[in-house]
Amino acid sequence: MAEPIIEPIENYGLSKRSQKRTLFSKVGVVGAGKEGSVIATTAALNGIEVVFLEPTEEKIANAFARIEAKLDKRIENWGLTQNEKRAVLGRIRGTMDYKDFEGCDFVIEAVRYENGMREDIRRKEVFLRLEEVLAPTAIIASNISTVVVTDLASELKYKERCIGLHFLSNVPGSQIIEIVRCLYTSDETFDKVCQFAKLINHQYVSVAESAGLVSLRLFLIQLNEACSILMEGISNVEDIDRVLTVGFGHSLGVFRIADQMGIEKIVSLLNNLYEEYGHLKYKPSPVLLRLMRAKHFGVSRGRGFYVYDESGNIVKANL
């Protein structure tokens, strides 16, 4: 009887070179603060591996605490199980080293104003650092609202892979993304980011590059007008929000959203729009300035347009 021919099974498997890599199997997030942690959590909930970067171990721990709090909220509302929570956390990793973004095919910058450094300067530095470690085909995005992506991409070698995004992370349950093409963005990059939005179960709208985009320009003008109504004594904080929630179907109302966003951030955004467009409708209301000077920033400080308990629940109106 002839000897059986024995061949290693590895010869019949696909080599690493032959295996087709899934698009968006690994995504990076630079900055896992309030908005960055929402992006990281959303991606991981939809089966995507996530690496986020923070400058210190303490900030990495704080980011994981924010992410866990978001997942626990889902568990409370019967939208997630403990086992699913562990699986989601298993897809998320924190790092202090840009080199850990190697292998990512999409990295979203979500840094914020810090230590006196302007947002655009800090973000441009992030873009340059990312280009050092990412493949030429990897997409670099900025989670923007008033900063212009064309400026951030201007010094990169592969400018066509840069794009802007805006997650409406301050409105719970919001599932829409504004996608902003810069002067250099290629059609391929835009199409891939639209595909990413679908992968994380978000709708998207294409928005021309402009300060404030669609969402913030509409919201901030509405907030300024609501503050004028408040100043004129026409109505109070709770009733103005009630008109919007009950009458127009808004989920929270302008004052509650403002407290979620942070009054200090809103004043900064309005100042940016006022500087950009020069129109009085973007000048921060005296009500907003008064709250900011009193450091009544909203939910983060326990006081804004409303007073909040330690769990972030409304106790009463503050104005």
Side-chain angles (χ1 to χ4, degrees):
M1 184 176 178
E3 288 290 322
I5 299 172
I6 301 174
E7 295 183 12
I9 194 170
E10 287 80 8
N11 293 343
Y12 295 94
L14 289 174
S15 68
K16 289 186 177 179
R17 182 176 296 177
S18 302
Q19 291 171 349
K20 187 176 180 181
R21 191 169 178 274
T22 305
L23 185 63
F24 302 125
S25 59
K26 183 181 177 183
V27 167
V29 181
V30 182
K34 185 175 181 180
E35 295 182 359
S37 60
V38 170
I39 297 169
T41 305
T42 303
L45 279 165
N46 288 278
I48 299 171
E49 181 185 349
V50 179
V51 180
F52 71 81
L53 182 139
E54 283 286 357
T56 65
E57 291 286 356
E58 181 183 3
K59 289 192 174 183
I60 289 174
N62 290 340
F64 271 116
R66 280 189 289 271
I67 291 167
E68 282 206 61
K70 290 175 177 60
L71 297 176
D72 288 339
K73 192 74 174 177
R74 281 177 169 259
I75 291 172
E76 289 175 16
N77 296 325
W78 300 89
L80 202 70
T81 66
Q82 286 289 350
N83 285 339
E84 287 170 334
K85 174 188 170 181
R86 284 192 288 271
V88 171
L89 288 173
R91 298 187 194 109
I92 304 173
R93 180 164 61 95
T95 184
M96 296 185 292
D97 192 343
Y98 276 86
K99 288 183 180 178
D100 288 326
F101 287 129
E102 288 181 1
C104 288
D105 43 20
F106 188 30
V107 179
I108 303 168
E109 168 278 311
V111 301
R112 283 294 168 263
Y113 182 91
E114 192 174 305
N115 298 328
M117 183 179 286
R118 274 172 41 203
E119 270 189 64
D120 55 345
I121 294 174
R122 189 158 178 248
R123 289 177 164 187
K124 186 175 289 188
E125 179 185 312
V126 170
F127 269 46
L128 291 169
R129 293 287 300 276
L130 288 172
E131 187 162 66
E132 291 174 4
V133 299
L134 294 176
T137 55
I139 298 169
I140 301 176
S142 180
N143 185 44
I144 58 159
S145 52
T146 58
V147 177
V148 178
V149 185
T150 297
D151 182 41
L152 301 180
S154 60
E155 295 178 23
L156 299 192
K157 182 178 180 181
Y158 304 103
K159 300 178 179 65
E160 68 282 353
R161 43 109 158 253
C162 296
I163 198 165
L165 298 175
H166 184 226
F167 287 77
L168 275 66
S169 55
N170 294 292
V171 183
S174 171
Q175 290 185 296
I176 191 164
I177 301 172
E178 292 171 296
I179 301 178
V180 188
R181 300 180 70 142
C182 76
L183 184 63
Y184 311 110
T185 305
S186 67
D187 290 340
E188 182 183 7
T189 297
F190 177 77
D191 291 341
K192 284 181 178 179
V193 174
C194 292
Q195 185 179 340
F196 173 75
K198 293 176 184 177
L199 283 173
I200 61 172
N201 295 310
H202 276 55
Q203 295 185 46
Y204 62 87
V205 292
S206 178
V207 181
E209 196 170 45
S210 59
L213 309 178
V214 174
S215 57
L216 284 178
R217 287 179 65 175
L218 287 174
F219 170 72
L220 293 174
I221 291 171
Q222 190 176 49
L223 175 61
N224 257 348
E225 185 62 26
C227 288
S228 295
I229 292 170
L230 190 64
M231 285 177 61
E232 293 166 23
I234 295 171
S235 189
N236 58 44
V237 166
E238 292 167 305
D239 286 344
I240 293 170
D241 270 353
R242 188 175 293 117
V243 167
L244 290 172
T245 54
V246 179
F248 289 92
H250 289 205
S251 59
L252 296 177
V254 286
F255 294 131
R256 287 183 65 189
I257 293 174
D259 281 352
Q260 294 272 1
M261 290 179 67
I263 304 302
E264 77 286 13
K265 178 183 175 182
I266 284 171
V267 171
S268 176
L269 289 169
L270 280 166
N271 283 328
N272 288 342
L273 293 180
Y274 183 57
E275 183 180 346
E276 178 75 19
Y277 298 112
H279 201 293
L280 282 173
K281 64 184 178 182
Y282 297 119
K283 195 170 179 64
S285 164
V287 175
L288 293 168
L289 295 175
R290 186 173 68 186
L291 288 171
M292 188 183 73
R293 290 173 187 136
K295 299 195 184 313
H296 291 182
F297 295 156
V299 178
S300 64
R301 293 294 182 92
R303 280 181 181 271
F305 285 100
Y306 294 93
V307 177
Y308 299 86
D309 62 20
E310 292 181 357
S311 301
N313 300 312
I314 292 176
V315 176
K316 62 179 181 178
N318 190 34
L319 295 176

